[in-house]
Amino acid sequence: MSQQPFQYEAPQSLAELWSTLDLGQDGTRFLAGGTDLLVKYKRKQLSVTRLVDIKNIPDLQGVWLDAALGLRIGALTTLTDLAAHPLVNEHVPVLAAAASKMASAQVRNRATVGGNLCNAAPSADLAPPLLVLQARIKTLSAAGERELPLRHFFAGPGLSTLRPGELVSEVILPLPEGNTRAVYLKQGLRQAMDIAMVGVAVKLKLSGSLCEEAAIALGAVSPVPLRAESAEQYLKGRKLDAQSIAEGADLAAKEASPISDVRASALYRSQLVAALLKQGLQQCAGILTEGEN
Amino acid sequence: MVKISLIINAQPWEIQVEPDETLLDAIRGKVGLTGTKKGCDSGECGACTVIMNGRSVNSCLVLAVEADGQEITTIEGLSHGQELHPLQAAFISEGAVQCGFCTPGMIMSAKALLDSNPHPSEQQIRQGMAGNLCRCTGYGRIVAAVEKAAQLIGGDRLDATGSRQTGNQV
Ligand SMILES: Cc1cc2nc3c(=O)[nH]c(=O)nc-3n(C[C@H](O)[C@H](O)[C@H](O)COP(=O)(O)OP(=O)(O)OC[C@H]3O[C@@H](n4cnc5c(N)ncnc54)[C@H](O)[C@@H]3O)c2cc1C
Ligand code: FES
Ligand code: FES
């Protein structure tokens, strides 16, 4: 690729990783699926002197149910496996659906959950559904492990709060309560293979048409994916009807701070937030009322 | 340079690669199999699609060093001597090839799709092939070719009303 090539290593265990990791070196990068990293490297947007392939480390793999914590998803889980996994489909179908609509089959076969979050694109499609599912992130470093809520993970476009030499090892999802429904709606320029102009995730806990809890997350409309808290608070405890849905959608649009770029203008993005959220609220409410009657 | 060993189309290979060399460049430049095409070199077009350990991948987004010890199938691995794979035969008979640049990638994506879902609907074919761009055909004939290949492989036949019946697997 005509740049000064990097040194490549593929540790087989965490112990091997920590014993060889040199944090003094600026261009040390972790490689998962490479679908973000290699594209940036080729475009000369990323300097790499040492590439540490983490794919062979068993501690970062697997999807399993933990009685105390909920669903635990290893950082190396590919989007293909996330979309197909029985536990994901049973407990958090919104996440399986979101993964199945990302990128292409070829990219989904390589791209990982950890990579999608660590790349920290404002448009990362897993971020809004994981935010409404109240995901927690488990990290590992030579110094030990930590756990933090996903909402404290993103720090800006392309930036996370990971410390140097720290890995994401798992995403942990508390199991949603009964009577909750969640959807993720994404608008791109074309149906397939496009990054989101706007992504909206909604999770509602309903009792009849009364909204007991609302969680709303927006992607691609601010420097980091965010929860639309004023809309959430407004909807909580309200009856979902045409008027409250429209009001909630307007409130969420005001919380977005989108930019104009090649994909869409800021104004169009704000209007899309309202339109997608309206649709999302209707879908969640509709599914539930149907199910309960 | 780093030495890697891998299996390509059931043949073992040992090659020397740069750490930042893509699997695509290694397959074309070192192994000499030029059926796999380089279009965008960034995951967008699918011309470089190969099958690695049973799954389709963009070989422009895989480093050759990552393929060490892995099993790869390229378009050259599909035919048996002069006998074409049903997908290749169907692409020809349905007129799904014009300039042909996208065809190897299209066929590898279609193979991965049919291997995991032998009887896809039209919608599933379009979704499964969404990572492969064609600038010539308009896709209709490509979808038709994949449907035909699915019939050839799966032994499907159409009944009198035109709806599909699943026959015995061959
Ligand atoms: C054609 C194409 C289409 C795409 N479509 C979409 C789409 O529709 N939606 C979408 O959201 N994204 C899309 N993407 C972007 C990309 O595929 C995803 O963000 C993917 O999930 C990245 O995962 P990865 O494993 O490939 O990450 P990598 O490229 O391996 O890594 C990305 C970054 O995260 C770091 N990293 C990776 N894993 C860890 C870890 N466990 N701990 C610490 N750091 C880590 C790496 O060092 C790197 O900086 C697309 C990409 C392409 C090429
Ligand atoms: S050359 Fe690999 S996807 Fe275009
Ligand atoms: S036949 Fe020319 S690009 Fe598809």
Side-chain angles (χ1 to χ4, degrees):
Chain A
M1 282 177 221
S2 79
Q3 301 167 64
Q4 187 68 27
F6 41 73
Q7 187 182 329
Y8 171 86
E9 44 207 81
Q12 303 292 313
S13 68
L14 283 175
E16 189 185 339
L17 170 69
W18 306 138
S19 70
T20 52
L21 198 62
D22 175 7
L23 293 179
Q25 228 178 325
D26 232 12
T28 300
R29 316 268 173 201
F30 294 126
L31 175 71
T35 60
D36 278 316
L37 186 145
L38 292 176
V39 173
K40 286 186 188 169
Y41 175 75
K42 290 188 198 199
R43 291 188 186 143
K44 303 197 165 58
Q45 294 166 346
L46 191 74
S47 76
V48 184
T49 53
R50 203 163 165 178
L51 192 62
V52 183
D53 188 344
I54 56 176
K55 279 193 293 295
N56 299 329
I57 300 176
D59 304 62
L60 312 179
Q61 292 166 359
V63 175
W64 68 104
L65 207 52
D66 178 316
L69 295 176
L71 190 62
R72 301 175 67 171
I73 300 172
L76 289 175
T77 306
T78 62
L79 299 180
T80 300
D81 290 340
L82 189 68
H85 201 286
L87 287 173
V88 178
N89 279 282
E90 180 184 345
H91 297 288
V92 283
V94 62
L95 197 57
S100 71
K101 285 184 210 120
M102 288 164 70
S104 62
Q106 296 97 311
V107 170
R108 289 193 300 272
N109 282 339
R110 299 290 288 173
T112 66
V113 172
N116 191 244
L117 298 177
C118 294
N119 189 57
S123 60
D125 276 315
L126 293 182
L130 286 174
L131 280 171
V132 299
L133 292 169
Q134 277 155 329
R136 297 180 66 76
I137 299 293
K138 190 174 153 198
T139 73
L140 291 175
S141 70
E145 53 179 72
R146 352 183 240 149
E147 226 187 273
L148 70 161
L150 179 61
R151 54 196 312 183
H152 296 158
F153 181 79
F154 300 111
L159 295 174
S160 75
T161 54
L162 277 181
R163 298 164 186 164
E166 200 173 30
L167 282 174
V168 167
S169 62
E170 292 172 29
V171 174
I172 303 173
L173 296 174
L175 295 188
E177 299 170 63
N179 283 352
T180 61
R181 286 289 186 284
V183 294
Y184 176 59
L185 300 173
K186 164 187 181 178
Q187 183 72 48
L189 285 177
R190 50 187 284 241
Q191 271 184 16
M193 284 284 286
D194 204 9
I195 63 171
M197 287 191 278
V198 172
V200 174
V202 185
K203 188 184 79 175
L204 297 182
K205 182 163 190 277
L206 290 176
S207 158
S209 62
L210 185 77
C211 172
E212 293 185 346
E213 297 278 352
I216 296 164
L218 311 177
V221 292
S222 52
V224 296
L226 83 165
R227 289 276 293 263
E229 288 173 14
S230 61
E232 292 176 352
Q233 274 157 23
Y234 169 80
L235 288 167
K236 185 177 168 154
R238 246 171 243 273
K239 213 168 140 346
L240 282 187
D241 53 25
Q243 199 202 330
S244 63
I245 285 178
E247 179 67 24
D250 282 347
L251 282 170
K254 290 199 187 99
E255 287 176 85
S257 51
I259 54 166
S260 296
D261 66 10
V262 291
R263 286 196 165 69
S265 70
L267 176 64
Y268 183 61
R269 280 198 163 93
S270 294
Q271 291 172 345
L272 262 182
V273 168
L276 288 181
L277 179 54
K278 219 164 144 178
Q279 202 182 325
L281 290 169
Q282 286 165 345
Q283 280 186 18
C284 283
I287 297 167
L288 257 197
T289 11
E290 269 168 40
E292 284 185 343
N293 287 342
Chain B
M1 288 280 196
V2 189
K3 191 172 90 178
I4 61 166
S5 337
L6 69 174
I7 298 194
I8 302 180
N9 302 332
Q11 284 227 22
W13 282 86
E14 276 194 0
I15 50 176
Q16 298 276 345
V17 295
E18 294 289 352
D20 67 346
E21 187 169 337
T22 60
L23 176 61
L24 172 61
D25 286 343
I27 288 173
R28 290 179 55 86
K30 302 270 161 75
V31 180
L33 293 174
T34 53
T36 305
K37 301 301 178 202
K38 186 193 278 195
C40 65
D41 207 20
S42 58
E44 302 281 345
C45 76
C48 66
T49 304
V50 301
I51 295 179
M52 181 154 105
N53 300 334
R55 286 184 167 187
S56 62
V57 298
N58 300 114
S59 60
C60 70
L61 291 187
V62 177
L63 294 173
V65 286
E66 292 181 272
D68 188 19
Q70 316 296 315
E71 214 170 297
I72 314 285
T73 308
T74 70
I75 186 71
E76 290 91 345
L78 292 195
S79 62
H80 292 290
Q82 292 295 94
E83 189 194 331
L84 295 179
H85 185 278
L87 273 163
Q88 294 171 308
F91 267 64
I92 294 171
S93 69
E94 295 300 306
V97 182
Q98 286 186 31
C99 80
F101 193 81
C102 71
T103 312
M106 285 284 177
I107 290 182
M108 297 316 286
S109 276
K111 175 159 194 321
L113 174 69
L114 294 185
D115 285 348
S116 68
N117 178 4
H119 303 290
S121 64
E122 183 193 331
Q123 175 75 359
Q124 287 170 329
I125 294 173
R126 288 189 181 269
Q127 268 167 13
M129 315 268 296
N132 293 78
L133 299 182
C134 176
R135 297 292 81 166
C136 303
T137 65
Y139 303 101
R141 286 165 185 263
I142 292 177
V143 173
V146 178
E147 283 177 334
K148 178 156 182 204
Q151 291 170 25
L152 291 171
I153 298 168
D156 278 14
R157 52 182 190 277
L158 300 182
D159 67 15
T161 62
S163 59
R164 193 182 285 177
Q165 292 193 325
T166 306
N168 296 327
Q169 299 276 323
V170 286

